[in-house]
């Protein structure tokens, strides 16, 4: 696929200032293909570098390798950055050398943008930074940097309770059905029962997304050729789907048209990756096209199994690219528990869709 550009610069361009020892080579390898990469010798040295930045150099991102023994120094640096009006909105990401939920919780409480535990997926870190950098520059609400912090979506307690109640009950009740589907998939075609892929959800966070496998093995590798040679159901769109997809298995047609293939996402809901209702998490090749000011807003709301576009336009070939994205933005601004309940009830009639998609 051709390289995509946003706000006048390549997607791969990310400017970094970092402090790391264990992850030094990973950082330089990952971010050496664009932007600038500057290494600090210590937390205090990094603070000195940032203090000398001009107002025209605030497109940098901070990567901090954090060992258990360095937590205090890392937190002091973050606190110092937040106190300075020029640096308070710089994107800071912690790269932990050891998994520690207490450090992760403290990092988010200190308004660190993200915190990764071993094994750190540096390709995901890069995509996350591309989104955060683009959003910080493009979001009109952040023109006044000293006054407005970078927005983060936090799931309301009542919505989370609703998600857990529905997903756990559904998993218990549907466990015999899961077993039957698993056996049928194994009989229908070679390959694993579950399909796992990387998806982009809330705040451009990347997670493992689960479905029952409805396509032949390695179908993802055929996407680029299909985009180039086949008619996209959504036209010239960031979203890709085609009718009568040749990659779909015989059983897969039933699983997809009945939405049974989506049921394993209940595990994603339990894990906290998604909600029952929200905007669909997108494949990486779709998400990277939606970093403009108008459409990046969709990532500030919850990711979900079902949502507005599913109940209004799912399976209809006349759904425009803009229409779907406007529905995503509308839900992001208006979502509530009561709207979620209405969408859940309206989802049932559209589970068996008329068109093959």
């Amino acid at each position: 696929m051709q390289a995509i550009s946003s706000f006048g610069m390549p997607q791969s361009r990310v400017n970094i200032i970092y402090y790391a020892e264990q992850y030094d080579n990973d950082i330089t390898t990952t971010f050496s293909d664009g932007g600038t990469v500057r290494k600090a010798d210590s937390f205090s040295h990094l603070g000195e570098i940032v203090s000398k930045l001009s107002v025209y150099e605030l497109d940098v991102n901070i990567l901090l390798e954090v060992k258990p023994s360095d937590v205090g120094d890392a937190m002091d640096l973050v606190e110092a950055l937040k106190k300075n009006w020029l640096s308070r909105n710089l994107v800071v990401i912690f790269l932990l050398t050891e998994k520690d939920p207490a450090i992760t919780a403290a990092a988010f409480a200190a308004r660190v943008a993200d915190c990764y535990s071993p094994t750190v997926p540096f390709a995901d870190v890069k995509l996350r930074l591309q989104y955060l950098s683009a959003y910080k520059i493009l979001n009109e609400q952040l023109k006044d940097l000293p006054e407005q912090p970078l927005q983060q979506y936090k799931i309301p307690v009542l919505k989370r309770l609703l998600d857990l109640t529905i997903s756990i009950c559904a998993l218990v009740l549907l466990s015999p059905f899961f077993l039957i589907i698993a056996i049928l998939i194994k009989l229908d075609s070679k390959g694993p029962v579950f399909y796992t892929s990387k998806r982009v959800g809330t705040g451009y966070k990347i997670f493992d997304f689960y479905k029952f496998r409805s396509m032949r093995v390695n179908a993802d590798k055929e996407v680029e050729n299909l985009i180039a040679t086949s008619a996209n159901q959504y036209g010239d769109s960031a979203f890709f789907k085609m009718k009568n997809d040749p990659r779909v298995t015989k059983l897969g047609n039933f699983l997809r048209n009945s939405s049974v293939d989506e049921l394993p996402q209940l595990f994603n809901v339990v894990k906290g990756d998604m909600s029952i209702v929200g905007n669909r998490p997108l494949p990486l090749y779709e998400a990277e096209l939606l970093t403009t000011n108008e459409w990046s807003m969709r990532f500030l709301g919850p990711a979900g199994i079902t949502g507005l576009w599913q109940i209004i336009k799912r399976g209809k070939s006349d759904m425009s690219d803009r229409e779907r994205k406007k529905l995503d933005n509308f839900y992001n601004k208006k979502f509530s528990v009561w709207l979620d309940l209405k969408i859940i009830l309206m989802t049932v009639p559209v589970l068996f869709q008329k068109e093959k998609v």
Side-chain angles (χ1 to χ4, degrees), residues 170-181:
L171 284 171
V172 172
L173 293 174
L174 293 173
S175 55
F177 182 63
F178 272 46
L179 179 59
I180 294 172
I181 294 299

Side-chain angles (χ1 to χ4, degrees), residues 214-216 219-220 222-223 226-227 230-231 233 240-250 252-253 256 285 356-357:
S214 61
M215 293 186 176
R216 58 188 178 225
D220 283 350
E222 302 176 42
V223 170
L226 288 172
I227 291 175
S230 303
Q233 180 180 331
F240 174 73
K241 191 177 287 289
M242 60 180 298
K243 294 181 180 180
N244 301 314
D245 194 321
R247 300 170 297 165
V248 179
T249 64
K250 293 180 180 179
N253 280 318
R256 291 161 68 87
Y285 62 86
K356 292 183 179 181
V357 296

Side-chain angles (χ1 to χ4, degrees), residues 260-271:
V260 169
D261 65 323
E262 310 281 1
L263 291 178
Q265 289 156 46
L266 293 168
F267 291 110
N268 286 118
V269 175
V270 174
K271 288 173 58 182

Side-chain angles (χ1 to χ4, degrees), residues 222-337:
E222 302 176 42
V223 170
E224 188 171 346
N225 290 333
L226 288 172
I227 291 175
T229 62
S230 303
N232 185 357
Q233 180 180 331
Y234 299 147
D236 185 14
S237 167
F239 309 111
F240 174 73
K241 191 177 287 289
M242 60 180 298
K243 294 181 180 180
N244 301 314
D245 194 321
R247 300 170 297 165
V248 179
T249 64
K250 293 180 180 179
L251 179 63
N253 280 318
F254 165 75
L255 296 178
R256 291 161 68 87
N257 292 337
S258 63
S259 298
V260 169
D261 65 323
E262 310 281 1
L263 291 178
Q265 289 156 46
L266 293 168
F267 291 110
N268 286 118
V269 175
V270 174
K271 288 173 58 182
D273 299 326
M274 300 168 57
S275 292
I276 296 294
V277 180
N279 294 330
R280 289 296 287 169
L282 301 179
L284 304 187
Y285 62 86
E286 290 184 1
E288 68 180 0
L289 303 180
L290 301 180
T291 53
T292 62
N293 189 39
E294 185 176 11
W295 304 130
S296 64
M297 296 295 292
R298 78 176 303 280
F299 295 107
L300 290 179
I305 296 177
T306 186
L308 284 176
W309 79 266
Q310 284 92 342
I311 64 174
I312 295 175
K313 286 287 186 177
R314 183 176 181 186
K316 297 181 180 179
S317 57
D318 63 343
M319 181 184 70
S320 70
D321 189 31
R322 185 174 183 83
E323 187 173 16
R324 175 173 170 178
K325 290 185 288 189
K326 287 182 70 174
L327 288 172
D328 287 346
N329 280 355
F330 177 86
Y331 179 78
N332 171 55
K333 296 176 182 178
K334 302 293 185 180
F335 75 85
S336 67
V337 171

Side-chain angles (χ1 to χ4, degrees), residues 31-80:
F31 296 98
S32 61
D33 61 344
T36 60
V37 181
R38 285 178 282 179
K39 181 181 179 181
D41 298 326
S42 63
F43 290 109
S44 59
H45 182 217
L46 193 149
E48 292 174 6
I49 294 174
V50 173
S51 68
K52 296 177 181 179
L53 295 177
S54 72
V55 70
Y56 303 106
E57 299 176 293
L58 296 180
D59 62 338
V60 298
N61 305 277
I62 310 298
L63 295 181
L64 298 176
E65 177 182 292
V66 181
K67 302 174 183 176
S69 58
D70 294 336
V71 175
D73 291 336
M75 290 299 182
D76 289 344
L77 174 59
V78 171
E79 183 179 2

